[in-house]
Amino acid sequence: MREKNKLSERQRAILKFMEHYVENFGFPPTIREIGEATNIKSTSVVNYNLNKLVQSGHLARLNRKSRGIRLTSQIPVGVREPSNSKRVYLLGEIVAGQPIAIPEDIAHHPDPESALDVPPALLGGLDAAEVFALRVKGDSMIDAMIQDGDIVLFRKQLTAQNGDMVAVWLDERSETTLKYFFREGERVRLQPAHPTMQPIMVAAAHCHVQGRVLSVIRTLG
Amino acid sequence: MREKNKLSERQRAILKFMEHYVENFGFPPTIREIGEATNIKSTSVVNYNLNKLVQSGHLARLNRKSRGIRLTSQIPVGVREPSNSKRVYLLGEIVAGQPIAIPEDIAHHPDPESALDVPPALLGGLDAAEVFALRVKGDSMIDAMIQDGDIVLFRKQLTAQNGDMVAVWLDERSETTLKYFFREGERVRLQPAHPTMQPIMVAAAHCHVQGRVLSVIRTLG
DNA sequence: GTGTGCGTAGAACAGAAGTTTGACAATAGA
DNA sequence: TCTATTGTCAAACTTCTGTTCTACGCACAC
């Protein structure tokens, strides 16, 4: 027998969706929207479960009002997931004519002003402590499909796997560039992201990987 | 300039009523409810003033959604913990050969699977409910410095200011493209982000703005 | 005057959204 | 086994709600 005060899977899903929806849209969902989100095919079933949730005190409803559903515990503090965005620090700029100048102490940079909140997805599975951000200055990275003002998330590392987009310092040109990295014997092929641009071949010894690009953020707003 | 920041009596009344209503019921009122409360006889007049308030930045609306009205100032309300990332929905793809096919129902696709958590900075000050995301398919946007797989955050709008990056549908080419928008008399200059690419000049009548680009996210993982 | 833009009103409409009904399957208890 | 309960579904139904269209008065510029 099912315990009376125990919510069903669907009811939990509905509550969760409700919280979620209200938070993002500022108003409650319709029965049909709940149904779609929780894989309930019939509006009557949603209605049924909604009434259950009213009985159990989780929701309040207003008859015949569209979207007249309300969480009784409007903001259940405990249930709330800790803000899942990660904090990354913007440590400087990336300019073609200079090596990336990153202080050793990524972690020792608690300047709140330069903090960026980024979704974990942009970190490629890495820990926020391993990641830092640089703002691109100038249009020299344009063949990497990166433009002035973009923010690039890096992981500091001195080696790379084939196919990684990396920041490399080129001795011969005295510049930092962002390219896709391919090791080819003693040489390295640096492939621009822009398909019409030609790759650069350099001796591995004169090509210093400084970091791997995890993601790029561009704000136009 | 007829840009008057001054709100009419009715518009102030509407805002005031909105605040009260949302506070009391937990969801926004309908057009008719607003009309009754503010002594406006016709729903079209309420609608008219609502649109004014959207223009002046006081409200955000979701097309055709019942009660899809929201105070822009609503966000910092109350007890809310700084869950500082906003949830935006990935509603589809953007392909050169097709108009952007999503528009109306931003709120209609509350599929949690397609949710993206983005820092508020990427929303350009807009409410999450106004923003949606599309994944770019193919390399046709390359002169907009946007590549296959990038995620583009949009605000749906049919007009643009000079300098906005917009998604436009070009009748003559039957394609959607992302360009910087500049109105020049009866014609529109569409300027690629890539500086070596030439701008396109089109008749304003054959150039349909579909949305404004707020930001671009690229994950290289 | 005349025309234009703005705010207002009313009505009609299409689509959205809540409610109800009848049917069916699975389960637990008599 | 039979039956009551619970959960599910589809469809029909009614009501609600946003949108659109036409019309009208008013202020202001020409």
Side-chain angles (χ1 to χ4, degrees):
Chain A
M1 186 197 327
R2 201 183 297 272
E3 292 181 45
K4 272 193 312 194
N5 49 1
K6 187 71 178 167
L7 297 180
S8 75
E9 192 63 42
R10 284 185 156 178
Q11 285 157 18
R12 272 195 303 277
I14 290 176
L15 280 185
K16 184 149 189 159
F17 174 69
M18 277 287 297
E19 293 171 18
H20 193 237
Y21 190 103
V22 170
E23 181 176 335
N24 284 294
F25 293 107
F27 47 81
T30 67
I31 287 184
R32 284 172 178 80
E33 285 170 342
I34 295 173
E36 285 172 28
T38 56
N39 262 316
I40 299 178
K41 304 297 166 50
S42 173
T43 58
S44 68
V45 177
V46 177
N47 193 50
Y48 172 86
N49 283 290
L50 247 23
N51 288 139
K52 289 284 173 196
L53 286 167
V54 172
Q55 284 174 27
S56 62
H58 293 81
L59 296 180
R61 295 186 75 183
L62 269 62
N63 279 347
R64 286 163 197 285
K65 293 287 169 200
S66 76
R67 304 176 189 273
I69 314 167
R70 188 175 189 182
L71 288 164
T72 49
S73 57
Q74 190 70 307
I75 305 204
V77 197
V79 180
R80 186 169 205 54
E81 297 168 26
S83 140
N84 41 15
S85 62
K86 302 295 181 185
R87 186 146 295 193
V88 164
Y89 292 98
L90 186 62
L91 296 188
E93 294 178 335
I94 175 169
V95 185
Q98 304 169 5
I100 298 183
I102 303 307
E104 281 306 311
D105 50 358
I106 297 179
H108 297 73
H109 213 101
D111 176 15
E113 292 304 304
S114 70
L116 292 173
D117 288 313
V118 303
L122 293 191
L123 269 39
L126 295 175
D127 193 282
E130 293 185 86
V131 180
F132 62 94
L134 297 177
R135 186 183 297 278
V136 172
K137 187 151 188 189
D139 277 332
S140 61
M141 302 296 170
I142 217 159
D143 60 348
M145 300 286 288
I146 289 172
Q147 66 189 46
D148 185 70
D150 285 0
I151 289 173
V152 181
L153 264 49
F154 284 96
R155 176 175 191 267
K156 180 167 186 165
Q157 55 185 53
L158 303 181
T159 60
Q161 309 274 312
N162 280 346
D164 286 351
M165 174 171 270
V166 292
V168 291
W169 173 257
L170 301 177
D171 287 342
E172 293 163 9
R173 300 168 181 235
S174 291
E175 68 175 30
T176 301
T177 184
L178 297 181
K179 295 278 188 304
Y180 286 102
F181 177 97
F182 295 94
R183 179 89 189 214
E184 299 186 343
E186 285 305 302
R187 290 154 68 75
V188 169
R189 175 163 55 91
L190 297 174
Q191 183 81 42
H194 201 292
T196 65
M197 313 289 284
Q198 293 304 309
I200 302 174
M201 302 295 301
V202 294
H206 296 135
C207 160
H208 307 285
V209 172
Q210 306 196 62
R212 177 162 60 94
V213 177
L214 303 174
S215 44
V216 180
I217 299 172
R218 179 177 309 152
T219 311
L220 302 165
Chain B
M1 285 277 145
R2 54 150 213 82
E3 201 80 17
K4 256 200 315 189
N5 293 1
K6 194 91 164 78
L7 297 180
S8 74
E9 192 61 44
R10 284 185 158 178
Q11 285 157 18
R12 271 197 302 279
I14 290 176
L15 282 184
K16 186 150 191 149
F17 174 68
M18 276 287 297
E19 292 171 21
H20 285 167
Y21 192 103
V22 171
E23 188 173 331
N24 284 317
F25 294 103
F27 48 84
T30 66
I31 287 185
R32 283 170 178 80
E33 287 169 340
I34 295 173
E36 285 170 27
T38 56
N39 264 315
I40 299 178
K41 306 297 167 52
S42 173
T43 57
S44 68
V45 176
V46 177
N47 192 50
Y48 174 87
N49 284 289
L50 247 23
N51 287 141
K52 288 285 173 199
L53 287 167
V54 172
Q55 282 174 27
S56 61
H58 292 82
L59 296 180
R61 294 186 77 183
L62 265 62
N63 280 345
R64 290 167 213 282
K65 291 293 157 197
S66 74
R67 303 177 190 272
I69 315 166
R70 188 173 186 181
L71 289 164
T72 49
S73 60
Q74 197 67 43
I75 326 303
V77 135
V79 201
R80 162 102 67 245
E81 274 297 301
S83 155
N84 38 17
S85 65
K86 299 295 179 187
R87 190 144 291 193
V88 164
Y89 292 97
L90 186 61
L91 297 187
E93 294 179 335
I94 175 169
V95 185
Q98 306 169 4
I100 296 184
I102 302 310
E104 303 304 324
D105 47 357
I106 295 181
H108 191 282
H109 260 264
D111 174 14
E113 292 306 303
S114 71
L116 293 173
D117 288 313
V118 302
L122 293 192
L123 267 41
L126 294 174
D127 193 281
E130 292 185 273
V131 179
F132 62 94
L134 298 177
R135 187 183 297 277
V136 173
K137 188 152 186 188
D139 276 332
S140 60
M141 303 295 169
I142 215 157
D143 60 346
M145 300 286 289
I146 288 172
Q147 65 188 43
D148 185 68
D150 286 0
I151 290 173
V152 181
L153 264 48
F154 285 94
R155 173 177 193 268
K156 184 186 176 182
Q157 54 182 53
L158 301 181
T159 60
Q161 308 274 313
N162 281 345
D164 287 350
M165 173 171 272
V166 291
V168 291
W169 173 257
L170 301 177
D171 287 341
E172 293 164 9
R173 300 166 178 237
S174 290
E175 67 173 32
T176 302
T177 184
L178 299 180
K179 294 279 189 303
Y180 287 103
F181 177 98
F182 295 95
R183 178 92 190 206
E184 299 186 344
E186 285 304 301
R187 291 156 68 73
V188 169
R189 174 164 54 90
L190 297 174
Q191 184 81 42
H194 200 291
T196 65
M197 313 288 283
Q198 292 305 308
I200 301 174
M201 301 294 303
V202 293
H206 296 134
C207 160
H208 308 284
V209 173
Q210 307 197 62
R212 176 161 60 93
V213 177
L214 304 174
S215 44
V216 180
I217 300 172
R218 178 178 309 151
T219 310
L220 301 167

